[in-house]
Amino acid sequence: MFGKHMPRTLLISSASLMTIAFAGIASQTIDWQELGKKLTSPAEEAGRMTIAGERDDDASVSTTQRRKQEESHSVIADISRPAVAPQPAPAPAPAFQDRLMIGSEAATGGLMSLSSGSGGSAPRKVAQSEPPAMPAVQPADRERFASAEVNPLKRTSTDPVSTFSVDVDTASYSYVRSTLSGGRLPNPDAVRVEEMVNYFDYSYPVPEKGGHPFSTNVSVIDTPWNEHTRLMQVGIQGYKVPLDDLPPQNLVFLIDTSGSMADANKLPLLQQSFRLLLSTLRDEDEVAIVTYAGSSGVLLEPTKVTDKSRILEKINALTSGGSTAGHEGLKGAYALAETMTGDGEQTRIILATDGDFNVGLSDPDSLKRYVSEQRENGTALSVLGFGRGNYNDELMQTLAQNGQGVAAYIDTLSEARKVLVDQVVSSISMIAQDVKIQVEFNPETVAEYRLIGYETRALRTEDFRNDKVDAGDIGAGHNVTALYEITPVGSPAEKFSDLRYGPKEKIEPVRASYSGELAFVKLRYKLPGDKESTLIETPVMPDTSGIPTSETLFAASVAAFGQKLKGTDHLGDWDFKAIEKLASENKGADRFGYRSEFLTLVRLADVAER
């Protein structure tokens, strides 16, 4: 009714002004974070300031405040119970029960999860009236990987020897799984084919006690993706040791509690993972906890596993905030480990982080020297990676390789169970050190060859006999697999041609007793603590079949998958469907379902590629 009595010109002017006003509002970008600050009550603001100022160092928090914080976390009897979220307003974390969790927060790098607080503050309670946060974009450009050119095809007549260090790490496979579960293809540099292949166990015979610590097995089959070449598989199987037979274990949990660890697939998953590990340890084992953020500190002095409730209490009380003083944390962990070491005991630091060291010593070369020096004092180092966004694969590989340990990427609770429960013995107890493989190909039978993967593990030919050169270590029960694609002499698959100018290559005849061999495989290893290596030699004939054919074919399917993801041109027109078919036909018993999961990843990659 009001409009009936208003002049027409006034109505038009009012409508125009309102239109202009709404247009002005719409043209502005709303700062939700700033708006949230204005809508937050003074009490909530004070609470947020308190959290941001908290540190894991007991000296920086009043006794009353610390007691209240610790009392808010009950001792967890069931280790699979969801992790406790950061204080002061606990919220249930995802259960992490499924391996793939397609579309979940964990699979997509923790999108729409707790704020990482990378600027130094801990997660804060969101005000009731604050608008919902917009989905974050995963900052994958901050993730770093150790890149290397794919191994080239080599001519046997001029370069007959291939030498590399073994690799038992599996971080690449679980990282690739995390990426594919989010609906994307991985960064090619993140794909290490040997780690993809070595994620799986193969049916290699277990060595008998009293001989070498591992068996050496070789098979040769036709290459699935090229009918004119052959595939040679070299498999090593370490002997198995029951956990009860291990010497007492001293473990220092070195935990990254910086602001970037706040996401649900980082610190909460880390807490669940360490609870799983704690469940496998024995009463005589000892645990200590060192945390690091803006600075480092001892959260738990060395404590026997018999006092499990106290260890759990400290794990459950972890919160995140601050920058990442990784070097300080390492120094503190090594100093503490030194006090724990006793005669006949084994000491290891287990570093858990998203890989970001941004305070103190942080470049890979300096850390490599530091960790190598500490290893000489008897303390090993393994690395567990968590989450996305800050993931520094290059740094984690450097630390694990030079710390006489393993590197694993934990993207689900099931992966934590695989690494820290099912494979705990191989993860914490080494049976052979500085293990090197050297393969010499016979130029009379092999024209060309290429090693599939192991680019970052290559060694010079002369390094094989040099016992001062470090190489990979093998844990109890570990197996290691390497694959070569070889081109027989006279095959249509030969790529190299004779030179027009210069002398023709002259292949010297080999001894008559060697003439039928394809290759000669040599391995060197040291027993833990030894200075001199032991040599194992194995001749390879065209019909050598020390490994079940189905096992070699499944390994071939995984190797093909890794090569496809890296974008190499060695597979011809082979696609993901051909890879899936080969893997499906050779899946085998698949006791834990890992091979079935691999088939799912191949299908996800096929969809993501379209």
Side-chain angles (χ1 to χ4, degrees):
M1 293 181 60
F2 180 70
K4 291 181 180 179
H5 300 284
M6 292 185 67
R8 180 179 179 85
T9 54
L10 181 58
L11 282 172
I12 295 173
S13 300
S14 300
S16 300
L17 288 172
M18 291 176 68
T19 301
I20 293 171
F22 280 121
I25 294 172
S27 66
Q28 300 300 314
T29 300
I30 299 176
D31 189 337
W32 294 112
Q33 184 174 2
E34 188 62 31
L35 181 60
K37 291 180 180 179
K38 295 177 181 179
L39 295 175
T40 303
S41 68
E44 289 170 328
E45 182 65 26
R48 180 168 65 248
M49 292 175 64
T50 301
I51 302 164
E54 285 180 359
R55 291 175 50 192
D56 288 317
D57 188 348
D58 288 340
S60 66
V61 183
S62 69
T63 302
T64 301
Q65 183 180 2
R66 172 58 64 185
R67 185 182 301 113
K68 288 181 179 179
Q69 183 186 48
E70 292 183 349
E71 287 175 354
S72 66
H73 297 275
S74 60
V75 176
I76 296 181
D78 179 3
I79 57 173
S80 63
R81 181 177 169 184
V84 178
Q87 293 293 312
F96 293 99
Q97 295 300 319
D98 297 326
R99 293 195 59 80
L100 289 179
M101 299 180 295
I102 301 173
S104 69
E105 292 179 7
T108 55
L111 300 184
M112 297 188 71
S113 61
L114 296 172
S115 170
S116 66
S118 57
S121 63
R124 61 184 177 86
K125 179 179 178 181
V126 180
Q128 292 290 336
S129 55
E130 183 173 348
M134 299 297 290
V137 177
Q138 181 172 300
D141 58 330
R142 288 189 290 151
E143 298 183 340
R144 286 158 283 180
F145 302 92
S147 60
E149 293 294 327
V150 174
N151 287 329
L153 186 68
K154 293 190 176 182
R155 198 172 197 170
T156 308
S157 59
T158 58
D159 196 357
V161 179
S162 170
T163 309
F164 63 95
S165 163
V166 299
D167 184 9
V168 296
D169 295 338
T170 60
S172 179
Y173 182 89
S174 48
Y175 180 89
V176 167
R177 178 179 60 210
S178 172
T179 305
L180 289 173
S181 298
R184 297 174 292 111
L185 291 174
N187 180 339
D189 286 341
V191 181
R192 285 185 293 275
V193 180
E194 73 277 7
E195 293 189 19
M196 303 283 287
V197 173
N198 283 316
Y199 185 83
F200 302 92
D201 288 332
Y202 300 93
S203 297
Y204 303 143
V206 177
E208 297 180 0
K209 290 185 178 181
H212 295 295
F214 47 78
S215 63
T216 305
N217 314 278
V218 184
S219 274
V220 182
I221 65 169
D222 292 336
T223 305
W225 56 80
N226 190 336
E227 62 179 340
H228 301 299
T229 65
R230 308 206 74 195
L231 200 64
M232 185 177 85
Q233 179 180 10
V234 179
I236 301 171
Q237 175 65 61
Y239 66 76
K240 299 180 179 181
V241 179
L243 179 63
D244 290 341
D245 291 350
L246 293 182
Q249 301 293 308
N250 302 311
L251 301 179
V252 179
F253 298 166
L254 175 56
I255 300 175
D256 181 353
T257 55
S258 61
S260 65
M261 291 290 292
D263 290 344
N265 60 350
K266 293 186 180 181
L267 186 57
L269 179 57
L270 181 155
Q271 290 169 303
Q272 291 177 311
S273 300
F274 277 119
R275 287 198 290 270
L276 283 174
L277 174 58
L278 187 61
S279 72
T280 67
L281 300 179
R282 305 156 302 173
D283 289 348
E284 62 266 32
D285 298 329
E286 199 169 27
V287 169
I289 301 175
V290 175
T291 62
Y292 66 92
S295 59
S296 65
V298 177
L299 182 65
L300 177 70
E301 295 288 347
T303 302
K304 290 289 185 182
V305 175
T306 49
D307 195 359
K308 188 174 296 185
S309 61
R310 175 168 172 76
I311 302 173
L312 282 170
E313 180 183 21
K314 294 298 183 180
I315 292 174
N316 296 337
L318 293 170
T319 57
S320 61
S323 54
T324 317
H327 182 223
E328 287 298 316
L330 275 176
K331 289 197 300 183
Y334 277 118
L336 190 59
E338 188 174 353
T339 68
M340 299 170 68
T341 303
D343 292 338
E345 299 178 349
Q346 295 178 340
T347 304
R348 178 175 299 272
I349 295 170
I350 301 179
L351 167 62
T353 177
D354 62 358
D356 189 19
F357 278 38
N358 56 27
V359 177
L361 190 65
S362 59
D363 67 281
D365 288 340
S366 298
L367 283 169
K368 175 180 177 179
R369 289 192 296 270
Y370 177 75
V371 171
S372 297
E373 291 170 359
Q374 297 300 320
R375 182 191 63 196
E376 298 298 323
N377 296 330
T379 301
L381 172 68
S382 292
V383 186
L384 304 179
F386 290 84
R388 302 295 295 271
N390 294 314
Y391 185 63
N392 190 339
D393 176 81
E394 179 182 13
L395 179 63
M396 294 175 65
Q397 291 292 316
T398 296
L399 292 174
Q401 290 177 16
N402 292 279
Q404 200 178 69
V406 298
Y409 178 77
I410 308 297
D411 59 330
T412 67
L413 188 59
S414 293
E415 183 66 17
R417 184 178 295 109
K418 178 179 185 290
V419 174
L420 300 176
V421 178
D422 299 339
Q423 300 175 349
V424 63
V425 175
S426 58
S427 298
I428 65 177
S429 180
M430 298 296 113
I431 60 173
Q433 299 174 350
D434 293 334
V435 184
K436 308 169 188 174
I437 299 179
Q438 185 170 84
V439 180
E440 180 185 356
F441 289 96
N442 180 359
E444 284 190 350
T445 57
V446 177
E448 301 158 356
Y449 70 91
R450 67 183 182 93
L451 173 62
I452 302 175
Y454 290 95
E455 285 84 0
T456 62
R457 298 286 186 150
L459 297 174
R460 298 176 300 178
T461 301
E462 58 269 29
D463 290 340
F464 182 72
R465 297 182 61 182
N466 186 351
D467 287 341
K468 294 182 180 180
V469 174
D470 291 335
D473 304 317
I474 294 180
H478 260 147
N479 62 39
V480 180
T481 299
L483 296 169
Y484 283 91
E485 185 176 5
I486 58 179
T487 306
V489 170
S491 168
E494 287 189 42
K495 298 292 181 67
F496 290 100
S497 58
D498 292 333
L499 298 175
R500 177 180 178 88
Y501 304 103
K504 295 288 184 180
E505 295 175 3
K506 181 180 179 181
I507 300 176
E508 296 292 336
V510 300
R511 295 181 187 178
S513 58
Y514 303 159
S515 61
E517 295 177 357
L518 288 179
F520 194 56
V521 177
K522 295 183 287 186
L523 288 93
R524 281 192 179 275
Y525 71 91
K526 298 175 187 172
L527 292 175
D530 284 2
K531 299 297 184 182
E532 296 183 0
S533 64
T534 300
L535 177 66
I536 303 175
E537 299 175 324
T538 306
V540 183
M541 305 300 291
D543 60 351
T544 296
S545 56
I547 302 168
T549 301
S550 62
E551 294 293 272
T552 302
L553 288 173
F554 184 82
S557 71
V558 182
F561 184 58
Q563 292 175 91
K564 183 75 173 174
L565 292 177
K566 285 193 77 71
T568 67
D569 58 359
H570 296 294
L571 299 179
D573 59 357
W574 248 51
D575 57 14
F576 287 120
K577 285 185 171 55
I579 294 170
E580 180 188 351
K581 182 176 184 295
L582 181 65
S584 179
E585 293 172 348
N586 296 279
K587 187 176 65 171
D590 195 23
R591 177 184 174 190
F592 296 108
Y594 300 141
R595 296 189 179 191
S596 296
E597 178 193 70
F598 172 72
L599 294 174
T600 301
L601 295 187
V602 177
R603 296 182 195 115
L604 288 175
D606 189 24
V607 172
E609 187 184 42
R610 297 174 187 173

